[in-house]
Amino acid sequence: MCGILGIASRNEQVFAELYDGLLMLQHRGQDASGIVTYGDGFFRERKANGLVKDVFGAKDAETLQGRVGMGHVRYPTAGSLSAAEAQPFFVNAPYGIYLVHNGNITNTEEQRAKVTGKYSRHLRTTSDSEILLNVLADKVADAIKVNGNADPIRNIFAGVKMTMERVQGAYSVICLIAGVGMLAFRDPHGIRPLSVAQREAEGEGNDYAFASEDVAFGINGFEKLRDLKPGEAILVDLDGNKHEFQAVEGKLTPCIFEYVYLARPDSLLDGISVYKTQIRMGQTLAKQIEASGLDIDAIIPVPDSARPVALEVSNITGIRYREALVKNRYVGRTFIMPGQEERQKSVRRKLNAIPREMQDRNILLIDDSIVRGNTIKKIVQMCREAGAKKVYIASASPPVKYPNVYGIDMPTKHELVANGRSIEEIREELGADELFYQNLEDLIWAAKGGNPDIEAFDCSCFDGEYVTGSVSEDYLNTLETSTRVTKKIKDMPDAGASWNGATLAT
């Protein structure tokens, strides 16, 4: 996850627009927020742990001056939880470059060794995003040595090309470059989303914006132009001119989990409506529910992201739809919370059951996905305490069995309730009376229905096939034993279970 946003305006100060746009992307990260602006030859930066509304205040509108700027909302998938690893990151040469990044680099250690060894650069953090920034800086510097510095845009595009040939994994990136402008680029597989928008500037010309999701555009009066192509770079110079460059030839394989959970339903990613995809997911799931022949009194969504799926299942099956789980709007999404113990505590704060809608009834809970299983397990228990006779579960996505290495916070097998378990074993673990999962083929059909030109999606968390082709067992084993993952396992309530045994309850 993580959300990135950049705005290049001809005439207006951009801080307030960055603030509003980041609020629209807050669902992509709640750990830290950062904004940097550029004007009069100087960068101005503020970043800290916390939500956008807590990190930034009125005084920042006075200090973060500039007509060009970018922002980031973070949750950690690599590195530590320290505020020092909040983005954006900066290198002072060449030019002076700030970077924000959504995704995850998979050949991190190889690139770290090159950056710190061959190029003698010092890294201040353990973040893969800082490594990506330094690789880009190295490659731009190499281009300057060859081409000279008369054409900085040419050097920057050459640096992006060499970076893409060297870095593996998922990366959607926005950069601010002193004296040059704003750069955006997307990895050759287009795994994480990134789009470009424009609006008519006062006088003549256009303002431009880049964002993880197009929901960040409308609030600031921008109209989406298109999604960046895989392997493409776009640079908006300080005069407001847009330059496009296909750095490497790519093949679009976007992450299918964006449509299941990560993106907002009102977003359009790579031509695909998230909301329409979730409706189609409900259509295929309804077939399974009907075929089961179960006696179901009510369909209840786990709010909020399962609501479109549950409504469509209700429409097709004729089973009545009930909002019997009430969400506390002032508690964050448990999936994003860094500590497992904090996730556990937050479930009761987040949801409350309505007993009159559950008493002596057979209910079907529909959730968008089941990752670790802790939240839905607690909800099943809550529903039984509210008087439900039978509690069935349906997941709008297939079983999450494998680590995601492209920027989603589910990196280890130990955290996944479906890894190494049969459907029946998962059902028993969750305490449900019946359990349904979406078929992967149906999920792909649901997403592809929005854009038939997409030949394949990254479905690695469901099928274990990594589209970059560079994810080795050694790399996955490194993730399993990383310091941060080890802390997560220790924080789990069932920490006494075997480290590498299938009995570890997650």
Side-chain angles (χ1 to χ4, degrees), residues 219-236:
I219 192 172
N220 290 314
F222 284 92
E223 183 177 348
K224 181 175 178 177
L225 291 175
R226 60 181 178 85
D227 301 280
L228 268 71
K229 301 172 188 174
E232 183 184 22
I234 298 177
L235 189 146
V236 179

Side-chain angles (χ1 to χ4, degrees), residues 115-190:
V115 164
T116 58
K118 180 179 178 182
Y119 293 97
S120 301
R121 288 180 174 267
H122 174 72
L123 298 175
R124 300 176 61 192
T125 72
T126 58
S127 172
D128 63 324
S129 302
E130 189 185 15
I131 294 172
L132 175 59
L133 170 60
N134 279 272
V135 172
L136 175 64
D138 287 338
K139 296 297 107 183
V140 173
D142 289 346
I144 292 172
K145 292 175 184 177
V146 174
N147 301 326
N149 205 18
D151 188 352
I153 295 176
R154 177 187 180 190
N155 291 330
I156 290 164
F157 281 156
V160 171
K161 177 179 174 61
M162 289 186 282
T163 298
M164 289 187 179
E165 292 169 345
R166 178 169 151 179
V167 171
Q168 299 170 357
Y171 47 92
S172 288
V173 173
I174 305 174
C175 297
L176 269 185
I177 305 172
V180 181
M182 177 174 291
L183 168 73
F185 60 91
R186 194 178 183 193
D187 74 72
H189 297 274

Side-chain angles (χ1 to χ4, degrees), residues 73 87 97 119 187 209 216 267 297 315 324 330 334 347 350 362 375 391-392 405 463 488 495:
V73 289
Q87 297 185 37
I97 305 173
Y119 293 97
D187 74 72
S267 289
D297 297 310
N315 289 338
Y330 303 98
T334 57
V347 174
K350 181 179 178 181
N362 300 332
T375 300
V391 181
Y392 310 122
V405 300
D463 61 14
K488 279 186 177 182

Side-chain angles (χ1 to χ4, degrees), residues 310-331:
L311 277 167
E312 190 66 6
V313 173
S314 174
N315 289 338
I316 292 174
T317 62
I319 301 170
R320 63 182 175 182
Y321 174 93
R322 288 292 183 269
E323 293 275 355
L325 292 172
V326 179
K327 183 177 181 180
N328 182 346
R329 302 290 176 182
Y330 303 98
V331 178

